[in-house]
Amino acid sequence: MILLNFKTYKETYGNKAIELAKIVKKVADKTGIRMIVVASALDAARISKETGVEVWLQNVDEYSGGRATGWTSMDQARALGIKGSLLNHSEHGKPKGTILKIIKGKPDDFEICLCIGSLGQIEKWGAQAGADYIMFEPPSLIASKDKSIATEEPKMIMHVVEKAPGTKIVAGAGIKSKSDVEICLKMGAVGVVSASDFVLSADPEKELMELVEGFTGIIH
Ligand code: G3P
C-alpha cells in the first residue's frame, strides 16, 4: 500500500493534480499495489471522477453536514466517492477527544488513517482509538531530502507495530527509495506514505516505480 499525499504543494494545483493522479492510477493498475491519492478537499472529488484512482482526504471534521460552515463533512465526502481520510496529520493536529469522536462515529466504508508522531501517543491512546490504519511519521523527518524514518528510526516502526497489534501501520517521513520501503515493510508496516519525493519530482512516475520496487514479493 502506498499513499501519495499531495498536501497543498502548488505542484498539485488544478490540472496538475489530475496529471499526478493519472500516474498513480497507471502504476497501481500495472503493479496491483493499492495506491491512494490523499488530496486537498478542493480537488478530491474531481480527481476521483476524472481518474478513477482511490482518493482520500487529508483531513475530515466531526460535523456530518447541515449547519457546519467551513468544516469538511465525512458524509459529503462519501457521497462524492471519497473512500477515507487522514486524521491528525502533524500539519493538521486535532484534540484527542475530537479524534476519538470522529473515529467512533465513522461508517465501516470510510477508512480513517490516524496520524501519530510519537510512540508515547500510540501507547497512551492511539492504539485503542479504533482507526483502520495508524500512520507513524516523526515530524522532524518530514520532507527531508537526505534522511527518512527508515534510515533514522527504523526500530520505531517495529515498536509501533508491537504497541498497536490490532491496527495496520503505515510509515512515513522522508520516504524516497526502494530501500526505505523495504525497511518499513521489514519492520512490520503494511505500507508507506510519500509526499515531497513524488509531488516535487521532475519524474514522478520514475519515483513511484522506485518505491514499488521495495514491495517485490510483498503486495499490500
Ligand atoms: O503525510 C505524509 C507526509 O507528511 C510525508 O511527507 O514529504 O516526507 O514524504 P514527505
Side-chain angles (χ1 to χ4, degrees), residues 5 7 9 89 91 135 137 141-143 173-175 193-196:
N5 185 354
K7 303 202 174 186
Y9 284 118
H89 193 281
E91 295 154 9
M135 179 185 291
E137 40 180 30
L141 293 168
I142 291 176
I175 298 293
V193 54
S194 168
S196 52

Side-chain angles (χ1 to χ4, degrees), residues 1-2 4 23-35 205 208-220:
M1 176 182 194
I2 304 180
L4 289 314
I23 291 171
V24 178
K25 173 73 172 148
K26 178 179 159 189
V27 176
D29 287 349
K30 189 159 108 184
T31 62
I33 295 175
R34 185 181 180 194
M35 296 196 188
E205 183 169 345
L208 188 51
M209 283 308 296
E210 184 179 346
L211 300 188
V212 161
E213 284 175 31
F215 282 83
T216 307
I218 316 167
I219 304 289
H220 286 289

